[in-house]
Amino acid sequence: MSSPAERYAAARRRAAQASAAPALHEFARDLGFDLDDFQREACEALERGSGVLVCAPTGAGKTVVGEFAVHLALRGRPGAAAGADGGEGATTRRKCFYTTPIKALSNQKYHDLVDRYGAEQVGLLTGDNAINGDAPVVVMTTEVLRNMLYAGSATLEGLAYVVMDEVHYLADRFRGGVWEEVIIHLPASVTLVSLSATVSNAEEFADWLVTVRGETAVVVSEHRPVPLWQHMLVGKRMFDLFHDADAARKHDVHPELLRYTRDTMRRLELGEGRSAGPGGGRRGPRWRGPMRPDIVDRLDREGLLPAILFIFSRAGCDAAVQQCLAAGLRLTSPEERAEIRRVVEARITAIPGEDLSVLGYWEWLDGLERGLAAHHAGMLPAFKEVVEELFVRGLVKAVFATETLALGINMPARCVVLERLVKFNGEAHVDLTPGEYTQLTGRAGRRGIDVEGHAVVVWSPETDPRHVAGLASTRTYPLRSSFRPSYNMAVNLVGTVGAEPARALLESSFAQFQADRSVVGLARQVQRNTETIEAYGAEAACHHGDFDEYFGLRVAIADRERAIARQGQTQRKAAAVASLERLRVGDVIRVPSGRRAGLAVVLDPATGGFGEPRPLVLTQDRWAGRVTPGDFTTPAEVLTRIRVPKHFNHRSPAARRDLAAAVSGTGLDRHGGRRGGRSRQAVGEDHRLSQLRAELRAHPCHACPDREEHARWAERRRRLERDTEELRQRVAGRTGSLARTFDRIVALLTARGYLSADGEVTDAGRMLGRIWTEADLLVAECLRRKLWDGLSPAELAAAVSVVVFEARRDVDERAGLPRGAVADAVDETLKLWSDIEADEASRGLAVTREPDLGFAWPIYRWARGEALAKVLASGHQIDGEMPAGDFVRWARQVVDLLGQLADSGGASAELRGTARQAIAAVNRGVLAYHAAA
């Protein structure tokens, strides 16, 4: 119980805060909870007019700062109290744009803000939805804002705040550059609110924000509002990863866990861990970890549900649900099951009944009613959204998910389980980074619900607890820019500000900022090396004469000797190859060196094929195998011949014994009186080498008694000079690297007619500036050459799909195409791509990705009105039919590009009409469903 004096002091403190930050006081009054220190600090900076960068762990409440920016914008609208907007007057109309990296996050934030401020105050703009776009608060994907900035949209009028949620997404190698484009191009009057996960180089990122956006306050919080406990599940036993918080700081793994895992490994190595019964006699370790249903049951018994179990495989997530169903798990009450069915039936009414069985609806519903579900990109978006809603409401208790769930979707849990610490990144299986581990486990612990969160790693023989401790204790998540200029960006920049100012804008990107910072360190190293080189030069100085000149002669002699040796080695190898090519069956030769040295008889000359000759021989030691030119330091010489039986079987021990005896019976010497080492006379006969040696002996420094000491210092100097030159090249490569790339892109666009010789954007360039896709130049060239004119709606959808689709894994064979007009259009597109690729490669530019034909058949059949089952079965997949989620995602990207064609000034009227018809044909059934409906 506080004293009257303490209560009075607290009241004075609150009054002071209210007078210093009235808008924040007003905002916090309606929150229903007290602001954390970092939230208050960031909001106060925002109210003072400063931009802010907030870095805090997942679930810490960063979005409160973004919502305060929304509050500030709405506070300045007409009808607000006079002066409430900080002196601009009550009639000022101010806006706030809230940007997110993914549509699902935009949809979620839109609903949150509508619940708080009302539907008339909030809008939504994504690739799928456009709701109330002129509202004072608009939630959108970052790409939508980028496109607005380049188009000079009237919607930007009155924009006062931009919230960039999940701003660490700028490290994404495919889309990250969009964040930097927005940050650089936003008007100076706009206040930027950047919300990021905990990154280790927050100060560096903030320094860049200050250079491009002006005053920016940095607020970093490492504190998790809900403490996180780390565990490992070893078989049926659960262990704490750390004994206490102090051990966690020191990365000291719990001794009992280390002892138990070591004992388990020892038992496995001794063979006790192998299965009994048939096959039980197999040697080597065999570990069977806990079954997935057992893990869920264990979490349920220990009160750790709801839980997210991360399995880095779509098929693995689906299999986990089926395993739990087969095991009879049921985590819901009858009342919860009835509510789940009601929610599901309300949400899937837009999906045609005949498609539900194709989508695995009944199995999915069975899992949901038992409190179990999968969540991954291969699922239908409608199904994923239902899973998210039910999990947040506590009706679904266990979700098996891929790492895509960690990308900002608000699905906190009491417990997170990691089945493995390795994931497939699209190219290879790689270890989780500390940043990824922090992002995944950050889901554990629901603020206001759970007292603590729990992260469980399932142990296997490949998992070292000390490695897990390192992941759990390391907070390093460095933000690395992925920004690079594109064709679309180049024409938009040149059209907006001109060519030279565009180069300057690129130089102000975070990518160049980081490159320049690294250059500072390299330049410092070059300076230190230069000083050391001068010191070495002083040590190498000789009073007899110019030691640099003398040392240059020594270096020239060494280089010449190496060149002659390489030349001799090449000649010897060529002679060996020629001699092996001349061999015939029955020739007896001598293998001069190696494990097979001695006499051998040729069984098969193996000539006439490709590559080096590799004759099959039998040695007098009864070894039969192929020899290569590398086994011969001198040409193979035929010493004599013996008869080899016509159908000689070199795999027969008896046959080998008899023939080896015949080889030994020739009486030839096994080693042939080995020749001595190679004479240096051949080397010495080189005229240039003799001349250099004569110059060396005649040089005054040759007579110096300390010449070898001088030579050692000169050698050190030479090595350091070589290293310093490499550093200088790296500095030159990084300084202005983006501007050089931009210049190459501008040169290519000028050569192809998108920019004029004097740097003006042509009509073709304006068309390119409105194409937003990875293959922007290829699409523009297809439009200019009218490759897609004359196609039907279904044919057009198939033809444009090849420039947007990208298979998850490489497929060796080329996908098939509908015959006729589609095949012809795609063939012409491929020829055009080949031409562009050659142009890019010749200019040193990153090449446009090759068109992928794998989606042409599915989208063609869908646009023609065929059934979903037939469409999914026609996907060009390695592992069966195309997942429904993948189909919907790629079909929406095709629709997006078709929409761009329909609005393109560079497309013919006929093509624009066909594109609109194609959009209508594709937007049916599962594609007609919209999350915001």
Side-chain angles (χ1 to χ4, degrees), residues 226-241:
V226 180
L228 179 65
W229 293 96
Q230 308 273 354
H231 312 278
M232 284 200 83
L233 183 60
V234 187
K236 294 183 178 180
R237 290 193 60 180
M238 184 93 80
F239 294 89
D240 288 339
L241 185 59

Side-chain angles (χ1 to χ4, degrees), residues 483-498:
F483 181 81
R484 59 185 175 85
S486 66
Y487 299 114
N488 168 287
M489 186 195 303
V491 292
N492 277 309
L493 280 174
V494 172
T496 308
V497 298

Side-chain angles (χ1 to χ4, degrees), residues 170-171 180 201 204-205 208 478-483 507-521 734 738:
L170 67 76
E180 290 188 51
N201 60 335
E204 179 187 39
F205 185 49
W208 173 68
L479 205 53
R480 292 281 172 260
S481 173
S482 60
F483 181 81
E507 293 285 11
S508 68
S509 68
F510 186 45
Q512 194 61 57
F513 184 82
Q514 287 190 312
D516 290 345
R517 280 213 164 177
S518 66
V519 161
V520 170
R734 293 184 189 185
L738 285 176

Side-chain angles (χ1 to χ4, degrees), residues 350-428:
I351 300 173
E354 66 270 16
D355 291 343
L356 290 178
S357 57
V358 179
L359 297 168
Y361 169 76
W362 300 107
E363 296 86 348
W364 174 69
L365 179 59
D366 186 23
L368 289 178
E369 289 186 338
R370 297 193 193 198
L372 300 158
H375 187 288
H376 57 73
M379 291 171 62
L380 194 70
F383 284 15
K384 277 201 301 183
E385 287 158 23
V386 169
V387 170
E388 290 161 13
E389 180 183 340
L390 295 176
F391 189 78
V392 169
R393 290 180 57 183
L395 296 170
V396 165
K397 320 288 184 177
V399 168
F400 297 93
T402 56
E403 75 274 15
T404 52
L405 189 143
L407 294 175
I409 300 292
N410 185 24
M411 278 181 66
R414 181 168 295 165
C415 178
V416 162
V417 178
L418 297 181
E419 192 174 78
R420 299 178 67 207
L421 296 177
V422 174
K423 68 166 190 172
F424 186 74
N425 67 357
E427 295 171 357

Side-chain angles (χ1 to χ4, degrees), residues 174 484 486-487 772-777 803-804 806 848-849:
F174 298 113
R484 59 185 175 85
S486 66
Y487 299 114
W772 314 99
T773 182
E774 194 182 341
D776 45 11
L777 181 60
V803 299
V804 297
E806 185 175 7
T848 300
R849 180 175 57 79

Side-chain angles (χ1 to χ4, degrees), residues 75-76 81-92 94:
R75 204 167 176 261
D85 60 351
E88 288 181 36
T91 56
T92 305
R94 302 204 298 179

Side-chain angles (χ1 to χ4, degrees), residues 475-797:
R475 292 288 176 207
T476 51
Y477 188 147
L479 205 53
R480 292 281 172 260
S481 173
S482 60
F483 181 81
R484 59 185 175 85
S486 66
Y487 299 114
N488 168 287
M489 186 195 303
V491 292
N492 277 309
L493 280 174
V494 172
T496 308
V497 298
E500 278 308 310
R503 290 177 94 255
L505 269 175
L506 288 175
E507 293 285 11
S508 68
S509 68
F510 186 45
Q512 194 61 57
F513 184 82
Q514 287 190 312
D516 290 345
R517 280 213 164 177
S518 66
V519 161
V520 170
L522 292 175
R524 203 171 288 133
Q525 185 63 48
V526 168
Q527 181 59 36
R528 282 197 296 267
N529 286 3
T530 305
E531 292 168 3
T532 308
I533 287 166
E534 290 173 4
Y536 287 173
E539 292 290 343
C542 177
H543 65 282
H544 284 268
D546 185 349
F547 199 85
D548 286 347
E549 186 180 68
Y550 178 75
F551 186 73
L553 287 170
R554 288 177 67 141
V555 170
I557 289 169
D559 289 345
R560 185 66 184 165
E561 285 177 341
R562 274 194 294 272
I564 293 168
R566 277 196 300 272
Q567 185 181 352
Q569 192 176 0
T570 304
Q571 290 170 346
R572 282 195 302 278
K573 184 172 181 182
V577 168
S579 66
L580 293 181
E581 286 174 342
R582 290 194 294 268
L583 295 177
R584 293 177 298 158
V585 175
D587 285 347
V588 176
I589 60 174
R590 185 178 287 111
V591 181
S593 59
R595 286 186 305 155
R596 309 303 173 193
L599 299 175
V601 60
V602 177
L603 306 177
D604 174 18
T607 55
F610 294 103
E612 296 178 338
R614 299 178 65 241
L616 177 65
V617 302
L618 173 72
T619 68
Q620 62 190 115
D621 297 324
R622 305 182 191 177
W623 175 82
R626 296 196 178 274
V627 290
T628 68
D631 295 317
F632 293 83
T633 52
T634 57
E637 183 184 349
V638 179
L639 305 173
T640 186
R641 288 181 54 78
I642 62 172
R643 182 181 169 278
V644 177
K646 191 169 184 181
H647 299 292
F648 180 77
N649 180 8
H650 67 274
R651 292 188 175 85
S652 164
R656 287 204 306 272
R657 183 191 62 218
D658 293 345
L659 192 57
V663 172
S664 298
T666 59
L668 293 168
D669 181 9
R670 182 185 184 94
H671 302 297
R674 292 173 186 263
R675 295 178 187 175
R678 275 180 291 135
S679 168
R680 292 184 60 87
Q681 187 181 357
V683 174
E685 287 169 0
D686 181 75
H687 174 69
R688 176 61 186 148
L689 193 57
S690 301
Q691 187 180 1
L692 287 169
R693 283 181 174 148
E695 290 177 27
L696 184 78
R697 285 190 293 272
H699 198 282
C701 291
H702 194 66
C704 179
D706 299 323
R707 75 174 184 215
E708 293 308 315
E709 181 66 18
H710 295 324
R712 276 192 288 273
W713 285 108
E715 177 60 26
R716 286 175 193 160
R717 185 177 67 170
R718 189 170 75 96
R719 285 182 188 159
L720 195 56
E721 283 173 340
R722 193 170 57 224
D723 294 344
T724 305
E725 185 54 36
E726 286 180 12
L727 286 175
R728 286 197 178 99
Q729 288 173 2
R730 285 167 64 188
V731 168
R734 293 184 189 185
T735 306
S737 52
L738 285 176
R740 280 198 300 278
T741 302
F742 177 73
D743 290 342
R744 291 168 189 161
I745 286 174
V746 166
L748 186 148
L749 292 174
T750 304
R752 288 182 172 267
Y754 293 93
L755 296 173
S756 66
D758 55 356
E760 295 295 318
V761 179
T762 63
D763 289 342
R766 279 184 279 279
M767 173 190 69
L768 174 59
R770 294 293 166 267
I771 295 171
W772 314 99
T773 182
E774 194 182 341
D776 45 11
L777 181 60
L778 179 58
V779 171
E781 291 282 274
C782 288
L783 289 177
R784 290 176 74 192
R785 305 197 188 189
K786 303 191 182 304
L787 296 190
W788 296 332
D789 284 28
L791 299 176
S792 70
E795 290 169 342
L796 179 61

